[in-house]
Amino acid sequence: KSNKAGTAKECFEGVSRTMFKLNHSLDKAIFKPVAKGYRALPAPIRKGTGNAMGNLRSLLTLSNNLLQGDIKGAGNTAGRFAINTTVGVLGIFDPASKLGLEKKGKEDFGQTMGVWGADSGCYFVMPILGPTTTRDAIGLIGNVFIDPVYQITHNSEIKNSLAGNDNYSEHNYYYYRGTGAVDFRAKNIESFESIEENSIDLYASIKSLYLQNRKQKIVNS
């Protein structure tokens, strides 16, 4: 993969800082309390839920493995999904790891665009969704259309609507994404608190961490 510097020019910094403050307030008022409530669940339930969400998310990784020409990675991802979905009971358990198929990093369309040579573009902050760049914002849209989970639920909803059977299948996609987000937030409560406590400029710290993280994911380091 191409090695891009972990930097990006700032666009609309005033607006981004306002959005950042809004997101931070929402996190304190809503997302963090929900994550703490989730952490109150028994550990086996949280682990199983996280595993199941990660198993579904691996289908998006598989799509991007293929788009990046990473055949070895695609084989590993497909093998893990097949084993964990069947033997692992819909991904609740992770027998694939014990069989030698190691869990790899997640891939998304923003990373794929980086592999293709696309520059990160401007850095900015979106409401609720948080830090991003021009490339990654486009990648968010691309993720929806190349994610098999979205395609399955979306097409199911269209067919059921035409048949007069409204079972909200498409909504299941957003439930899955929301549950994954809560699981991620719950696993990183202490990390986020540490950043808050030790940052002179929290906005700048999050920006730096975001860009460095995206760089590492693109170069698979």
Side-chain angles (χ1 to χ4, degrees), residues 82-94:
I83 293 171
N84 287 345
T85 300
T86 53
V87 181
V89 191
L90 300 179
I92 294 175
F93 304 101
D94 183 18

Side-chain angles (χ1 to χ4, degrees), residues 47 80 83-84 87 93-103:
K47 184 175 181 180
R80 283 184 53 82
I83 293 171
N84 287 345
V87 181
F93 304 101
D94 183 18
S97 292
K98 296 181 180 179
L99 294 175
L101 293 174
E102 297 181 5
K103 186 175 182 180

Side-chain angles (χ1 to χ4, degrees), residues 58-73:
S58 70
L59 289 175
L60 177 59
T61 291
L62 175 59
S63 297
N64 283 285
N65 285 148
L66 294 172
L67 287 172
Q68 294 170 21
D70 183 4
I71 304 304
K72 182 179 179 180

Side-chain angles (χ1 to χ4, degrees), residues 159-173:
K159 292 176 181 177
N160 284 316
S161 295
L162 291 174
N165 178 23
D166 187 7
N167 67 351
Y168 302 101
S169 295
E170 188 175 356
H171 294 181
N172 292 334
Y173 173 77

Side-chain angles (χ1 to χ4, degrees), residues 146-163:
I146 65 173
D147 188 345
V149 177
Y150 176 82
Q151 294 301 325
I152 292 170
T153 55
H154 179 73
N155 290 333
S156 175
E157 171 125 327
I158 290 175
K159 292 176 181 177
N160 284 316
S161 295
L162 291 174

Side-chain angles (χ1 to χ4, degrees), residues 109-110 126 129 132 135-145 177:
F109 193 58
M126 295 192 295
L129 297 178
T132 190
R135 180 185 62 208
D136 290 343
I138 296 172
L140 288 175
I141 299 173
N143 285 340
V144 173
F145 293 103
R177 291 302 303 271

Side-chain angles (χ1 to χ4, degrees), residues 14-146:
V15 175
S16 290
R17 283 186 177 272
T18 299
M19 289 298 102
F20 181 81
K21 290 179 181 179
L22 171 63
N23 291 343
H24 195 214
S25 297
L26 288 174
D27 182 71
K28 285 186 175 181
I30 301 174
F31 304 131
K32 186 176 180 179
V34 169
K36 285 187 173 181
Y38 175 80
R39 287 237 304 216
L41 295 173
I45 294 178
R46 284 187 281 114
K47 184 175 181 180
T49 300
N51 285 346
M53 294 303 103
N55 189 54
L56 284 174
R57 172 62 175 73
S58 70
L59 289 175
L60 177 59
T61 291
L62 175 59
S63 297
N64 283 285
N65 285 148
L66 294 172
L67 287 172
Q68 294 170 21
D70 183 4
I71 304 304
K72 182 179 179 180
N76 184 82
T77 302
R80 283 184 53 82
F81 179 78
I83 293 171
N84 287 345
T85 300
T86 53
V87 181
V89 191
L90 300 179
I92 294 175
F93 304 101
D94 183 18
S97 292
K98 296 181 180 179
L99 294 175
L101 293 174
E102 297 181 5
K103 186 175 182 180
K104 304 291 185 179
K106 299 175 183 178
E107 299 287 338
D108 57 54
F109 193 58
Q111 290 167 247
T112 295
M113 292 174 66
V115 172
W116 291 349
D119 187 73
S120 63
C122 294
Y123 173 87
F124 57 97
V125 178
M126 295 192 295
I128 300 178
L129 297 178
T132 190
T133 60
T134 304
R135 180 185 62 208
D136 290 343
I138 296 172
L140 288 175
I141 299 173
N143 285 340
V144 173
F145 293 103
I146 65 173

